[in-house]
Amino acid sequence: MSDTYNNSEGANVDIDGDELIGTLTLPLDSWHRARDGRVVEFAGYWMPVQYNGEGGGIIAEHLWTRTSAGFFDVSHMGQLYISGEGVEAALEAVLPIDLSTLPVGGVRYSLLLNETGGILDDLMVTRWGTGFYLVVNGATKWDDIGTLREALPDNVTLNHLDDTALFALQGPMAAEALEPLVTGEQPLSALTFMRGAAFKLGGIDAWISRSGYTGEDGFEISVPGENAAELADLICAQPQVRPIGLGARDSLRLEAGLPLYGHDMNEDVDPVSADLLFGINKRRRSEGGFPGCDVILPLIASGAPTRRVGLLIDGRMAAREGAKVLNGDVEVGTVTSGGFSPSLERPIAMAFVASELAVSGTSLSIDVRGRKLAATVAPMPFVPHRYHRKGAA
Amino acid sequence: MTRYFTKDHEWIAVEGDEATVGITDYAQGQLGDITFVEVPGVGAEVGKGDAASVVDSVKAASDVYAPVSGTVTVVNDALEDQPELVNTDPEGEGWLWKMTLSDTAELDSLMDEASYQSFISGL
């Protein structure tokens, strides 16, 4: 049997592949090991890909999150705080975001772009009272910090909150599991999707937003690293909650149609092809003034030659990143993420295909090890989002 | 019947020049939830070390290598609907294929159960 699990992504290696600083540990390292987490190297850290024992395994963890509540440690992600005089204008010069419409506690998706319109990272921006809180991808955070520090003026300060842990609690029972554990100026139930506020969680300061990466209702919870283990214990003591590894995080986000940086987008992919225009706010599309706008704004008008789509695959064999997409015998695209969907019990994928074929219902095929798998372009998300939106019951 | 093991985590149970092949419990544990098994064709000639089958888990596809050379005689059709048998009973109901051996001397290079257990305990 071949050894196929690729867990070296984002490792701390130089261009020859030699390890530079070794794999780093996060605040919950021993917590995951004590819970029999199968720990692998990811984004330069030791992270649990799944948990062993009863209730563990990627499919069981995935389905638990869809039906109850899953606890994810995502402390590898970069948490940044940007503040100082003129911070709003300075951030708008770097990101294609409209901060004039972002209230205190509001959370918004944005993109860090290069001058040629490629995507350096995708990120979440939250307005705090005095500045902005950003969450960026783990594997790209060091580059992001460099890019941002170079772009921001001297009187704007970037703090890397590297002594802070980040959890996600996701699933239809996330709210009922978390509510009894928190106190704040407003009840947890007052938060709607993409809004956050300060709370006390088990008596400890926590920033909690109603957001996530699974398509479910849920929360992202930023807490001091020194309290991470006790707070993880507190949350996981709730009967609705089980810890969930990175494996299910990936299959959940794929079902939710949410792209993953480094796979479904990278610095050679523009936001139009990647179908991420919602990361470029309306005012910025008309005004420009962000990195890459000279390339992206004409592309919005003309359309991109390729586009990210969802594919439903016949049979049970999965197509993975790199597999070629065919229309008849003609190569028309490439799979960027793919795997077995535990909820749908069939393989699904994201792929970039020629735009004229990016229409739901189009029949294509995927070459997997010489075998042609029938695939149909499908709308995403594959599994409906269940966010707790403002105005919804 | 004698059972042999490879360093790539296949097992082969041999009786005369007939044998059954699968992946070990250690292997299924490493792969995690198995969602699809591609078995070889009946009648296929496989050489020792050839990629003869593919086991697809939620996370990745892995080749299964023929532990020795020979001809595939029967494949485990039950895996088509129940690939999870490879997780639940890898060294029993989750077998992959049966084959006739073309050179039983090739078995000499494989590990016995005790050697294999010692091998995986060092991984």
Side-chain angles (χ1 to χ4, degrees), chain A residues 66-86:
Chain A
R66 287 267 182 257
T67 53
S68 190
F71 171 86
F72 303 76
D73 175 23
V74 289
S75 299
H76 64 301
M77 301 190 79
Q79 298 181 77
L80 315 177
Y81 178 61
I82 300 178
S83 60
E85 199 183 330

Side-chain angles (χ1 to χ4, degrees), chain B residues 10 12 20 22 70 91 113 120:
Chain B
E10 292 91 11
I12 179 167
T20 307
E91 299 183 29
E113 174 120 39
I120 59 173

Side-chain angles (χ1 to χ4, degrees), chain A residues 1-2 5 38 59 316 320, chain B residues 8 10 29 33 56 59:
Chain A
M1 197 192 78
S2 59
Y5 202 89
R38 184 176 299 173
I59 290 179
R316 286 187 67 97
R320 313 239 177 230
Chain B
D8 296 314
E10 292 91 11
D33 297 320
D56 221 354
K59 205 56 204 169

Side-chain angles (χ1 to χ4, degrees), chain A residues 1-6 38 49-50 52 56-61 246-248 250-251 315-320 338-340 342 368-369 371, chain B residues 6-10 23 27-36 38-39 54-65 80-81 83-84:
Chain A
M1 197 192 78
S2 59
D3 216 7
T4 49
Y5 202 89
N6 177 4
R38 184 176 299 173
V49 67
Q50 66 175 76
N52 298 320
I58 293 175
I59 290 179
E61 292 171 22
L246 290 174
D250 190 45
S251 53
R316 286 187 67 97
M317 189 192 277
R320 313 239 177 230
F340 189 80
V368 178
R369 300 184 295 270
R371 186 190 283 208
Chain B
T6 72
K7 64 175 174 35
D8 296 314
H9 311 290
E10 292 91 11
I23 67 169
Q28 71 77 22
Q30 290 296 305
L31 288 171
D33 297 320
I34 288 163
T35 53
F36 178 77
E38 185 181 15
V39 291
V54 179
V55 174
D56 221 354
S57 72
V58 177
K59 205 56 204 169
S62 303
D63 287 322
V64 181
Y65 303 112
E80 196 171 322
D81 292 328
E84 64 273 16

Side-chain angles (χ1 to χ4, degrees), chain A residues 238-318:
Chain A
Q238 294 289 67
Q240 304 93 336
V241 181
R242 283 184 187 165
I244 308 296
L246 290 174
R249 181 173 158 84
D250 190 45
S251 53
L252 287 158
R253 69 89 195 169
L254 179 60
E255 285 183 352
L258 301 171
L260 174 60
Y261 192 81
H263 301 265
D264 309 301
M265 60 185 132
N266 59 49
E267 59 192 73
D268 298 320
V269 174
D270 65 84
V272 185
S273 304
D275 199 17
L276 294 174
L277 278 183
F278 66 96
I280 303 175
N281 294 158
K282 192 174 166 190
R283 174 172 64 84
R284 309 306 306 280
R285 285 185 221 174
S286 54
E287 291 179 4
F290 57 86
C293 65
D294 295 344
V295 177
I296 291 169
L297 296 180
L299 206 53
I300 292 173
S302 66
T306 61
R307 187 155 176 174
R308 181 171 63 93
V309 297
L311 294 172
L312 282 171
I313 300 167
D314 289 358
R316 286 187 67 97
M317 189 192 277

